[in-house]
Amino acid sequence: MGIDVGKFLKSPEFEIAITTYRDIFQVEALEYDRFGEEYRKLSAVIIMSREDMKKMGIKTGDRVKLINDHGSIVVEARESKREEPGGIAFMVNSPWSSALVSDDTGGKGIPEFKNITARISLTKNDISSLENLIFNSGEVEKNER
Amino acid sequence: MITCTGCSLLCDDIDVVIENHRIKEVRNACRRGAAKLKGCRNRLRPSIDQTPADIDTSIKRAALILKNARSPMLYGWSNSTCEAQSNGIKLAKKLNAIIDDTSSFCQGLLIEKVLKKKFRACSLDDVKNKADVLVYWGSDAQDSQPRHLSRFSYFPRGESRQRGYEEDRIAIAIDVRESNTAKICKGHFYRIPLKGDREFILSLTGALSGKVPKHDAKRILELADIMKKAEFGAIFVGIGLTYSIKDDVDILVALGDMLPNFHILPMVGHYNMRGFNEALFKETGFVNRVRFDSTAVHENKYAIVEALKQKSIDALLVTGSDPLSCLPGSMISYLASIPVICIDPCVTLTSKISKITIPSAVSGIESGGSAVRMDGKVIELSGIVENNYLADTEILSRIMEEL
Ligand code: SF4
């Protein structure tokens, strides 16, 4: 039986800054069915600049793992259709992005929803399901570290 | 004509076609509004411990949980009618409970300034009739309050702005991202780095008082010039700006003071967040994060985020919100470990972990009432679709009766 060496090779990890935004199509999908496929497809995505993707060896459609001290998720990477200066990636506001948000607010009660830092790497794991985010709070993926 | 509860613009010019007790067609609304009006696919059913129950038993059990809790919290409210909100405040008083709403980690900071008259505010009708300079700051209205530009700010003709966007109005976007709103503000998009708002405000206030900014001097001086010359300006403050300056909101007050022709309007998402803030402010002098005892006490530890982090609440009633879909993921496990009572028309992430679920009518569609638009104007909600659901306000009254 051959050994799949690739399984043991870790994809390189990069630091990434993420901010969140609103997308009308995703909000529309949320209103209809927050457990539906459409909402997941529009939420479990990270948008990056062409340069950043090139630098990190990531292509549109690749699955990427985002991890920090607060949680871990798997989402799809997509290249931004706009001119971006790079250095910052974008996720729509959703339970996927919130999984990476710190609950430490310095006692002020307002988390940094729009100022997330995480490490990004290519993965073969499935896109995180909503059930996994709710019932395991991302723990399953966290344990894979 | 009916009112849309898709966002805090509460557009009251919507036409609908109703078929089989559901809205089949929607006219005039944006995508977000049409989706909200047509309604969710999965309606909530009454349950106890995730097992179907009848509504009367669910209500009784909900009352029992709240009565026996040492430190209950009543949370949500931004998708509830004013009538339900006022009943919620009554219930909190009766229980000596904590009450908080989504503004606690959203625009509450700014609404409080507006209600305390720290900002010069104006109505959206004033914006429509008079405004010539519109600044969208950390706000992508096109995706969040999609008819803001078309009904009130950039595109419409107004009393003193007959030629609308073509000649009479300038729209400016200041944002980390080139949003869909920024795309409309051609030539007037200022991209700032993440958390760069404070520095941008300082550069702008410097430029307004004649100092040459260190970075991007030409464009910032040009912006200061446009703002100085405005006859009637408005800064629409999005959540992007609020989060970025949350530790020093007064810097925005100072900017407002330097621009006597400008008005500051927080952009509110959920349709009646402002209604809750106004109701609680009237009652207690605070817009959120209050614990009722012999008096109303306001502290940061009564914010939903802090209360969950410190594990200081032992029961939670949620209505008009789905906290599980927006709170930091690491808070979910504690939330799921305490008894949650969820009142909502639809199955939500929160309802999936709730001990008690109580379905309600969709406010504004299946039940009427009133709500407060983002600029403070009270708007009547229609309640036009026949149904057998209880209104959120009735459910709260029933819980109170059971106590
Ligand atoms: S802008 Fe807001 S209130 Fe108006 S139709 Fe769209 S969602 Fe409804």
Side-chain angles (χ1 to χ4, degrees):
Chain A
M1 210 162 51
I3 297 172
D4 180 3
V5 180
K7 212 170 129 185
F8 300 105
L9 288 178
K10 234 179 149 220
S11 300
E13 267 188 351
F14 298 89
E15 279 272 315
I16 192 163
I18 304 165
T19 192
T20 53
Y21 68 102
R22 288 259 177 226
D23 167 61
I24 192 170
F25 294 97
Q26 187 247 13
V27 175
E28 182 187 28
L30 170 89
E31 293 291 356
Y32 283 135
D33 183 5
R34 59 192 66 206
F35 298 97
E37 182 57 16
E38 190 65 13
Y39 180 63
R40 189 187 66 83
K41 264 186 7 211
L42 294 169
S43 302
V45 175
I46 185 162
I47 311 275
M48 300 169 71
S49 76
R50 187 179 312 149
E51 284 67 35
D52 286 349
M53 291 181 87
K54 222 170 123 187
K55 197 170 74 192
M56 298 176 191
I58 296 169
K59 293 187 297 301
T60 288
D62 282 346
R63 272 165 287 157
V64 290
K65 180 173 181 169
L66 296 164
I67 185 164
N68 62 15
D69 291 346
H70 320 296
S72 165
I73 50 168
V74 175
V75 297
E76 190 185 308
R78 244 179 253 161
E79 186 185 308
S80 172
K81 293 197 178 102
R82 300 170 188 200
E83 279 305 311
E84 301 289 355
I88 184 159
F90 305 100
M91 287 186 76
V92 294
N93 206 320
S94 78
W96 283 266
S97 63
S98 293
L100 300 172
V101 175
S102 169
D103 60 11
D104 186 358
T105 69
K108 301 246 176 82
I110 306 180
E112 292 276 0
F113 288 106
K114 284 186 167 281
N115 184 17
I116 301 168
T117 317
R119 301 190 299 283
I120 184 169
S121 59
L122 284 166
T123 182
K124 293 207 163 60
N125 290 351
D126 290 341
I127 305 274
S128 310
S129 67
L130 199 50
E131 285 69 25
N132 188 260
L133 295 176
I134 313 175
F135 296 112
N136 302 314
S137 313
E139 283 304 320
V140 171
E141 282 140 345
K142 223 176 181 174
N143 292 339
E144 282 174 8
R145 268 194 281 181
Chain B
M1 295 280 186
I2 69 155
T3 301
C4 172
T5 53
C7 80
S8 184
L9 283 185
L10 293 165
C11 296
D12 49 7
D13 59 349
I14 312 294
D15 267 333
V16 292
V17 176
I18 300 168
E19 227 179 81
N20 295 329
H21 307 297
R22 266 194 100 107
I23 291 181
K24 186 97 196 326
E25 262 177 59
V26 180
R27 297 187 193 120
N28 295 340
C30 68
R31 282 195 103 83
R32 179 179 190 167
K36 176 81 191 263
L37 291 166
K38 284 183 183 166
C40 61
R41 289 202 182 118
N42 307 310
R43 289 301 292 255
L44 189 64
R45 293 179 197 287
S47 70
I48 298 173
D49 291 322
Q50 298 288 318
T51 307
D54 66 82
I55 191 146
D56 297 329
T57 320
S58 299
I59 289 174
K60 278 197 177 88
R61 280 292 291 278
L64 198 65
I65 289 171
L66 292 171
K67 204 161 123 183
N68 291 338
R70 187 181 34 83
S71 183
M73 175 185 264
L74 315 183
Y75 171 79
W77 310 110
S78 56
N79 282 303
S80 310
T81 56
C82 292
E83 293 71 17
Q85 291 168 346
S86 110
N87 247 352
I89 295 169
K90 269 190 216 146
L91 179 60
K93 276 175 137 178
K94 204 161 175 181
L95 288 163
N96 280 342
I98 301 169
I99 190 160
D100 195 24
D101 80 314
T102 57
S103 77
S104 182
F105 54 92
C106 186
Q107 293 283 35
L109 278 176
L110 290 197
I111 301 280
E112 190 187 343
K113 297 271 179 211
V114 171
L115 298 182
K116 288 185 171 164
K117 303 203 183 334
K118 302 278 182 206
F119 291 137
R120 199 172 313 100
C122 68
S123 70
L124 286 170
D125 305 284
D126 285 339
V127 169
K128 178 178 167 182
N129 286 323
K130 303 179 199 162
D132 56 345
V133 178
L134 315 153
V135 182
Y136 287 89
W137 198 327
S139 152
D140 181 12
Q142 282 296 91
D143 280 58
S144 298
Q145 297 86 4
R147 296 180 71 207
H148 196 269
L149 280 90
S150 61
R151 277 188 74 206
F152 296 109
S153 69
Y154 191 41
F155 295 113
R157 273 82 186 88
E159 265 165 32
S160 21
R161 302 290 160 216
Q162 185 49 41
R163 286 181 297 278
Y165 74 100
E166 310 96 302
E167 288 177 36
D168 281 352
R169 305 195 204 253
I170 297 176
I172 293 159
I174 303 169
D175 212 320
V176 173
R177 171 178 165 267
E178 190 185 5
S179 64
N180 290 323
T181 306
K183 275 189 169 298
I184 293 172
C185 305
K186 285 196 181 71
H188 296 290
F189 168 46
Y190 293 80
R191 193 196 291 271
I192 52 170
L194 197 57
K195 294 292 252 182
D197 301 81
R198 191 187 143 79
E199 200 167 315
F200 197 88
I201 293 177
L202 291 174
S203 298
L204 186 59
T205 46
L208 286 168
S209 50
K211 282 191 214 127
V212 180
K214 282 197 198 110
H215 306 289
D216 211 1
K218 191 168 165 256
R219 293 201 75 216
I220 292 176
L221 285 170
E222 178 194 65
L223 175 63
D225 192 49
I226 295 173
M227 291 177 87
K228 250 197 259 184
K229 286 186 183 147
E231 287 172 13
F232 191 107
I235 299 177
F236 304 113
V237 183
I239 197 71
L241 174 56
T242 307
Y243 282 163
S244 186
I245 58 163
K246 62 184 187 316
D247 297 325
D248 186 13
V249 180
D250 285 337
I251 195 170
L252 187 63
V253 178
L255 177 65
D257 288 344
M258 290 185 82
L259 292 162
N261 291 343
F262 263 81
H263 305 81
I264 295 183
L265 287 90
M267 296 292 274
V268 177
H270 297 302
Y271 86 82
N272 202 19
M273 193 187 87
R274 177 149 178 174
F276 178 81
N277 291 150
E278 289 198 0
L280 193 65
F281 186 77
K282 210 166 142 197
E283 184 83 32
T284 68
F286 307 106
V287 297
N288 53 28
R289 304 176 175 186
V290 162
R291 174 170 207 143
F292 285 104
D293 213 330
S294 46
T295 58
V297 184
H298 168 85
E299 278 189 60
N300 285 345
K301 69 178 180 192
Y302 302 139
I304 176 107
V305 170
E306 292 309 306
L308 288 175
K309 187 171 164 59
Q310 291 163 21
K311 306 188 171 160
S312 61
I313 48 171
D314 58 354
L316 181 70
L317 178 140
V318 174
T319 184
S321 177
D322 184 12
L324 237 71
S325 75
C326 47
L327 286 172
S330 54
M331 305 199 126
I332 294 176
S333 51
Y334 182 65
L335 189 54
S337 75
I338 57 171
V340 176
I341 299 152
C342 177
I343 303 172
D344 205 285
C346 302
V347 176
T348 63
L349 272 62
T350 306
S351 77
K352 291 258 185 189
I353 56 102
S354 293
K355 189 169 178 67
I356 311 283
T357 61
I358 306 171
S360 62
V362 182
S363 54
I365 299 166
E366 294 173 337
S367 63
S370 57
V372 181
R373 201 168 69 179
M374 61 164 78
D375 60 345
K377 183 174 176 184
V378 177
I379 307 274
E380 291 308 314
L381 304 177
S382 328
I384 38 141
V385 175
E386 268 182 44
N387 66 95
N388 294 320
Y389 290 99
L390 290 173
D392 44 7
T393 181
E394 289 171 278
I395 295 169
L396 293 162
S397 295
R398 294 266 310 268
I399 292 177
M400 262 189 283
E401 284 162 20
E402 293 290 338
L403 287 175

